[in-house]
Amino acid sequence: MSFSELRRELLTLFSRGVSEPLGDDSFNHLALRVFRYQSETNAVYAGFLGRRGLDPESVARWEEVPFLPARAFKAVPLITEGAVAERVFRTSGTIFGPSQRGEHHVRDLSIYRASLLPNFRSYLLPEGGSRTILCLLPAPETAKDSSLSYMMGEVGEHLGGEGALFFADSEGALQMGAFCKALDSAVEKGDPVLVAGTAFSFVRWGNWAKEKGWNVLLPPGSRIMETGGYKGRIRVVARTELYSALHGSLGVPADHIVNEYGMTELLSQFYEPVLKGEAGAGGEGGEGSASLKELAVRYHRGPPWVRTLVLDPLTLVPLPEGEVGILAHFDLANLGSVAAVLTEDLGRPVPGGFRLMGRSQGAEPRGCSLAMEEFMASISEGS
Amino acid sequence: VTPFRAYFFPSGYSLSSEESSHLDTPGGPVQYPVLSRPRMEELMGLLRTARQKGLVSFPVERVVGSVDRVARRLLDPADELRQHALAGLGPHAGFSQPMAVTVLDGMARDWTAPRLNRLLSSEFPDPLALDGFRPGPVGGLVRAMGLPFTFHLGAGSVPGVAVTSLIRALLVKSAAFLKPGLGDVTLPIIFAEGLEEEDPELARSLAVAYWPSDLDVQTELLLGGADLVVVYGGEDAVRWVQGRLPPRTPLKVYRHRLGVGLVGRGALGQGGESEGEAGEGVVGEEVGAGGHRTATDAAWAVALFDQRGCVSPHVLFVERGGAVDPEGWAKLLAGALGELERELPSGQVSPEEGAALQQLRGTAEVEEEAGHGTVYHGGRKAPWTVLVQTEGELTPSCLNRVVRVVPVNDLAEVPSRLQAWVPFLQTVGVAGLADRGSRLREALARVGVSRIVGFSGVPWPPPWWHHDGGGPLRGLVRWTDVEEGG
């Protein structure tokens, strides 16, 4: 089994798109081959498995594979066969906030591209066609280590009418004037557009627009992809406010705002299938406004080449539906690094996907865990 | 399941059926009060009156005696009060039952008369100044009195802390309203009920109630009505209170704190010598055990309160040059933490804490595979984790008995390495400092450490400790001086 052999198989699989289901056995078969290849060609990963007394040959199901914590990607470059990375992606503190740091040495960008495009198309442009794409993100040329900028660059090139336009500098500062001009011109043309950015950047945009009294009514069918920002202490309430602000400033209703959940360490992404008419689409919030109820029933789904488990926080045993645990993803697109990744995110399995969870209701952060957040904040302020 | 009634109000003040609500919590359902402004004002009035007509003229000896009787009941295995306390303490705090017992024993012991009397003597040259005018230490007459009505906001991290706050208020004759954190909701209610049985008149100056954050308006009413506010919590909680406090109301703040430990080669046996010979050295039995005893004591310090205490160590600096090297000692510590799971099992690991724990462990394992550091942990059975860290930034633990061992060539380098921790530092556990003790203690005091103690004492600061560097009672009183001709 070689990298190029598996790569070829995966590219074929990805090219079938995300609507084509992949049966349990087919996924398992492919997943175990990817896992064995990785265990044989990545000494550090092999050591991680060896500590558990695990013989990769004896693993019969992908669910039995030990999931590697996402943070380990940053501690040690994880790449199969010690190959040279085509690109190293890093989550920058300026875009996601200081706590969201990640790193991924990507062996082969073509696999990333092949995974991201059909997935994005399916959840953001389910009716097909192309859109003008405006991004509140730094351009891929200026932010070479941002996997999100890379993704939107590829999306622009293949699914955007004339490529994507980027409205942030390499430090993440937004170019409000140019963005407003682009919005105006979209309204003039009357064609629906797609606006993408981080929740962070949209909050900044919303504040700016409110302060300036600036608003626009984007053509019907326009949509927003926002990512990041709903973990930890930011609650659903903040999201309701954000969506209302976006409705106010851009005229895009909540049922046309899709949250993308992705991470530097995974080359595949997860989306809320709202534009496909699922997961709280067309809820009871009325014209455009996002009700708490509607957002609370939203969930995420990945492409067929990713499987997700929700694990017990201590034993790492899969939890039954309805229980909150740690999300672990097996992403075949991670062929060149490690496919089985344990995240720091909490979720609960639901039919059709998983629901990302913030801090559970009634659970107060206990003692010094709060001090730790404060400690980290004081360190990053100081440096 | 019958909800836990998360409030205690003075006798005569009862709630109508519309004045309470329920909340499901990880420790079971709780029932909490929902009070209108006039009803909250009525309650505050009752507390003030009770203090004015009773508590303020009770001798401090009576307060000590009544609290002591409740404490002794909490310590008596045959007493129902203790049984009630233990039934709720573990589940609400997320502690195992043996931990709940250990915490209750340790806390209630400090509420007994001999301990409280030592607290009074430590705080006041003449504690009877709390009962009336007494000759001042350098002449004249002095009288100390707590403010009439105090409001206490607990954090909920460690059960018992909130009751201690109430007792401090009662000792200085202040009426007290406590809103505990959810993790510490049981003990204050049980304590107040016990006090009502032992000294009903005294208990009239006391109210305890929990409510969730959507009833912050109730908290704001109390902040507006109190003469002094005591808050335990993180920066956000403190800022929230500060923003709502009338400008003249004094505020006493106890922020979240972290502990560290120093293990000197004196506790690890002398390098190059046999254990027996080293045993005759300067620090006695610690040496003879070749670091075993220190490891056991340090494990207890880390494990107690599942590391949620402000006293709990997060990082242990271990000196090279002893018979046992820091790496070897880390293994002893890991063994001790593993052993302790039998005697003092870990409590529930929340999903948030578990997520952080798994990242930490797995990353350390990968780093070890790549040749950096070492990690020991309790696997799927227990959250305890020991990381040997030889490089990189020192960060606090994600709790649940996760501790870093940092090898150092000389403990003298530790105080300067603690710079980033200064605003959070509190307790430093020590062992094997030998004749370098006085120099190190001075250096630690200079960086802002407020408590230095042998590892076995780390979890249990005595009632008279300078809590975060200040006098626990002195901050609660106002003095009246009578000078010549007065």
Side-chain angles (χ1 to χ4, degrees):
Chain A
M1 222 169 340
S2 71
F3 181 77
S4 57
E5 205 180 308
L6 284 164
R7 173 181 173 274
R8 211 172 321 117
E9 267 185 68
L10 290 176
L11 293 183
T12 309
L13 171 68
F14 298 174
S15 70
R16 286 176 8 209
V18 305
S19 313
E20 189 78 20
L22 184 63
D24 275 350
D25 287 345
S26 307
F27 180 86
N28 192 49
H29 182 65
L30 201 45
L32 290 183
R33 286 166 64 217
V34 167
F35 166 63
R36 281 177 195 139
Y37 160 72
Q38 291 177 340
S39 66
E40 285 159 15
T41 56
N42 185 335
V44 170
Y45 186 46
F48 175 80
L49 301 170
R51 294 177 75 98
R52 285 156 179 72
L54 190 94
D55 172 14
E57 289 300 320
S58 70
V59 173
R61 292 287 310 172
W62 66 270
E63 293 96 328
E64 299 163 22
V65 171
F67 286 79
L68 187 81
R71 275 202 205 173
F73 280 67
K74 199 182 173 215
V76 179
L78 291 163
I79 197 158
T80 55
E81 300 170 63
V84 178
E86 189 176 355
R87 189 73 69 84
V88 179
F89 287 127
R90 291 186 181 87
T91 315
S92 88
T94 48
I95 297 176
F96 291 97
S99 61
Q100 303 286 311
R101 296 249 165 92
E103 189 170 300
H104 195 172
H105 292 247
V106 178
R107 181 165 172 181
D108 188 326
L109 285 171
S110 69
I111 303 178
Y112 183 24
R113 195 159 46 234
S115 167
L116 74 90
L117 287 171
N119 205 18
F120 186 95
R121 190 192 296 120
S122 174
Y123 291 97
L124 268 307
L125 301 165
E127 58 282 73
S130 64
R131 291 283 189 289
T132 296
I133 295 174
L134 311 177
C135 302
L136 281 173
L137 296 168
E141 309 82 64
T142 58
K144 283 210 177 304
D145 61 358
S146 163
S147 57
L148 183 59
S149 288
Y150 177 86
M151 173 174 118
M152 290 314 298
E154 291 300 318
V155 165
E157 198 168 302
H158 294 92
L159 308 174
E162 52 228 54
L165 298 169
F166 292 86
F167 300 94
D169 66 21
S170 58
E171 300 296 305
L174 302 181
Q175 293 139 359
M176 301 295 188
F179 183 55
C180 288
K181 257 187 219 163
L183 293 172
D184 279 335
S185 111
V187 173
E188 237 166 74
K189 280 192 206 153
D191 296 331
V193 297
L194 189 154
V195 187
T198 62
F200 229 62
S201 63
F202 280 118
V203 167
R204 279 185 289 163
W205 153 257
N207 291 343
W208 183 89
K210 197 175 169 192
E211 200 180 296
K212 303 277 174 192
W214 203 96
N215 63 73
V216 72
L217 197 61
L218 287 174
S222 294
R223 60 211 55 196
I224 292 173
M225 184 199 91
E226 55 94 14
T227 183
Y230 292 109
K231 297 165 201 161
R233 298 157 82 180
I234 303 174
R235 290 175 297 176
V236 185
V237 181
R239 192 175 176 193
T240 321
E241 282 165 18
L242 174 62
Y243 283 22
S244 302
L246 289 175
H247 186 224
S249 60
L250 298 173
V252 177
D255 60 8
H256 275 62
I257 307 179
V258 176
N259 178 261
E260 182 244 21
Y261 159 62
M263 50 202 289
T264 302
E265 296 84 354
L266 292 180
L267 295 183
S268 300
Q269 298 75 40
F270 306 85
Y271 297 94
E272 295 171 331
V274 273
L275 292 176
K276 293 161 93 83
E278 300 173 52
E284 307 143 28
E287 255 313 283
S289 71
S291 71
L292 282 175
K293 213 169 151 191
E294 183 192 322
L295 289 180
V297 299
R298 285 199 176 193
Y299 56 85
H300 287 81
R301 188 190 298 156
W305 50 88
V306 181
R307 294 279 160 113
T308 297
L309 294 176
V310 178
L311 304 178
D312 178 277
L314 182 62
T315 64
L316 296 179
V317 169
L319 291 170
E321 220 165 80
E323 286 191 36
V324 176
I326 305 174
L327 293 175
H329 309 290
F330 201 113
D331 182 2
L332 298 177
N334 270 20
L335 175 65
S337 52
V338 173
V341 179
L342 185 72
T343 74
E344 264 181 284
D345 302 320
L346 301 182
R348 129 185 320 174
V350 297
F354 57 87
R355 185 165 296 141
L356 275 175
M357 307 297 291
R359 196 160 266 156
S360 50
Q361 228 255 321
E364 294 166 353
R366 290 201 285 217
C368 293
S369 58
L370 202 62
M372 173 140 164
E373 285 177 35
E374 286 166 13
F375 182 90
M376 297 317 285
S378 83
I379 299 286
S380 59
E381 275 164 27
S383 60
Chain B
V1 185
T2 318
F4 176 75
R5 211 190 62 190
Y7 56 86
F8 168 89
F9 292 135
S11 62
Y13 186 90
S14 50
L15 299 189
S16 72
S17 57
E18 293 87 55
E19 288 181 315
S20 81
S21 190
H22 292 77
L23 176 72
D24 281 324
T25 77
V30 298
Q31 186 187 358
Y32 59 88
V34 181
L35 299 175
S36 65
R37 173 187 278 269
R39 286 282 281 157
M40 188 63 96
E41 279 165 359
E42 181 192 340
L43 181 54
M44 289 192 276
L46 279 176
L47 292 167
R48 281 181 182 278
T49 309
R51 183 258 184 189
Q52 189 57 33
K53 292 191 172 160
L55 176 59
V56 78
S57 41
F58 294 165
V60 68
E61 199 187 353
R62 167 171 173 180
V63 179
V64 169
S66 300
V67 170
D68 175 81
R69 288 198 298 282
V70 180
R72 287 181 196 280
R73 291 183 56 192
L74 287 170
L75 290 166
D76 178 2
D79 200 297
E80 255 192 0
L81 202 63
R82 177 180 174 88
Q83 290 152 15
H84 288 159
L86 287 175
L89 196 156
H92 279 124
F95 282 159
S96 68
Q97 206 51 20
M99 179 71 85
V101 170
T102 307
V103 170
L104 180 60
D105 286 345
M107 291 288 175
R109 185 186 60 206
D110 279 347
W111 305 329
T112 56
R115 308 281 284 176
L116 295 180
N117 285 327
R118 280 179 77 178
L119 163 65
L120 290 165
S121 308
S122 163
E123 287 291 276
F124 303 106
D126 181 354
L128 292 179
L130 288 166
D131 293 343
F133 282 103
R134 300 286 296 174
V138 290
L141 296 172
V142 292
R143 165 82 162 102
M145 207 184 295
L147 289 145
F149 174 55
T150 59
F151 176 40
H152 305 246
L153 267 161
S157 317
V158 173
V161 172
V163 170
T164 298
S165 200
L166 286 179
I167 293 172
R168 288 174 182 176
L170 294 177
L171 288 173
V172 299
K173 327 285 183 67
S174 292
F177 191 120
L178 165 74
K179 178 182 184 277
L182 203 47
D184 185 14
V185 71
T186 308
L187 217 39
I189 302 284
I190 302 291
F191 173 81
E193 287 171 357
L195 197 63
E196 191 171 45
E197 287 167 16
E198 296 302 323
D199 190 341
E201 273 185 280
L202 177 57
R204 274 194 202 115
S205 297
L206 204 58
V208 181
Y210 167 82
W211 50 80
S213 59
D214 53 352
L215 286 178
D216 277 344
V217 58
Q218 296 186 167
T219 314
E220 291 179 45
L221 287 172
L222 285 157
L223 290 174
D227 301 310
L228 176 135
V229 173
V230 185
V231 58
Y232 298 77
E235 213 48 58
D236 285 354
V238 172
R239 227 173 282 142
W240 189 89
V241 168
Q242 282 167 336
R244 282 155 185 83
L245 206 61
R248 286 175 192 281
T249 308
L251 177 67
K252 193 99 193 75
V253 175
Y254 294 104
R255 287 185 168 81
H256 290 314
R257 300 282 168 171
L258 305 168
V260 300
L262 267 56
V263 181
R265 60 181 84 93
L268 301 166
Q270 302 297 318
E273 292 174 30
S274 80
E275 224 171 63
E277 284 167 309
E280 288 147 23
V282 278
V283 282
E285 50 186 328
E286 283 183 18
V287 182
H292 267 101
R293 190 187 136 184
T294 311
T296 308
D297 288 348
W300 267 91
V302 169
L304 247 153
F305 315 115
D306 286 338
Q307 218 178 359
R308 275 182 247 154
C310 52
V311 294
S312 305
H314 289 230
V315 173
L316 302 171
F317 296 92
V318 183
E319 205 168 35
R320 295 194 191 281
V324 180
D325 65 6
E327 287 78 6
W329 189 79
K331 203 170 177 178
L332 292 178
L333 177 67
L337 283 166
E339 283 290 313
L340 213 43
E341 284 295 330
R342 275 202 285 271
E343 199 177 334
L344 202 63
S346 288
Q348 206 188 352
V349 177
S350 74
E352 289 85 358
E353 290 163 350
L357 174 73
Q358 299 296 349
Q359 293 294 321
L360 185 87
R361 275 182 178 181
T363 305
E365 287 179 338
V366 165
E367 282 174 343
E368 185 179 331
E369 290 305 321
H372 310 284
T374 311
V375 57
Y376 304 99
H377 60 71
R380 294 173 174 221
K381 292 199 189 87
W384 68 264
T385 302
V386 178
L387 303 146
V388 181
Q389 188 177 331
T390 49
E391 54 200 298
E393 203 173 79
L394 290 175
T395 54
S397 133
C398 55
L399 309 187
N400 298 294
R401 315 183 184 193
V402 175
V403 66
R404 285 169 215 274
V405 167
V406 178
V408 292
N409 290 324
D410 195 308
L411 287 181
E413 61 195 75
V414 174
S416 62
R417 288 187 70 174
L418 289 173
Q419 277 310 323
W421 291 56
V422 167
F424 303 91
L425 268 184
Q426 188 208 65
T427 293
V428 176
V430 296
L433 303 189
D435 55 353
R436 295 167 300 159
S438 62
R439 237 178 312 138
L440 271 167
R441 285 191 287 270
E442 179 64 20
L444 289 169
R446 288 183 190 191
V447 296
V449 167
S450 61
R451 181 170 175 251
I452 302 165
V453 58
F455 279 106
S456 59
V458 161
W460 307 114
W464 51 90
W465 72 318
H466 288 122
H467 190 171
D468 292 345
L473 300 182
R474 269 171 282 176
L476 303 177
V477 298
R478 288 271 171 78
W479 290 90
T480 304
D481 295 346
V482 176
E483 296 167 22
E484 209 180 319

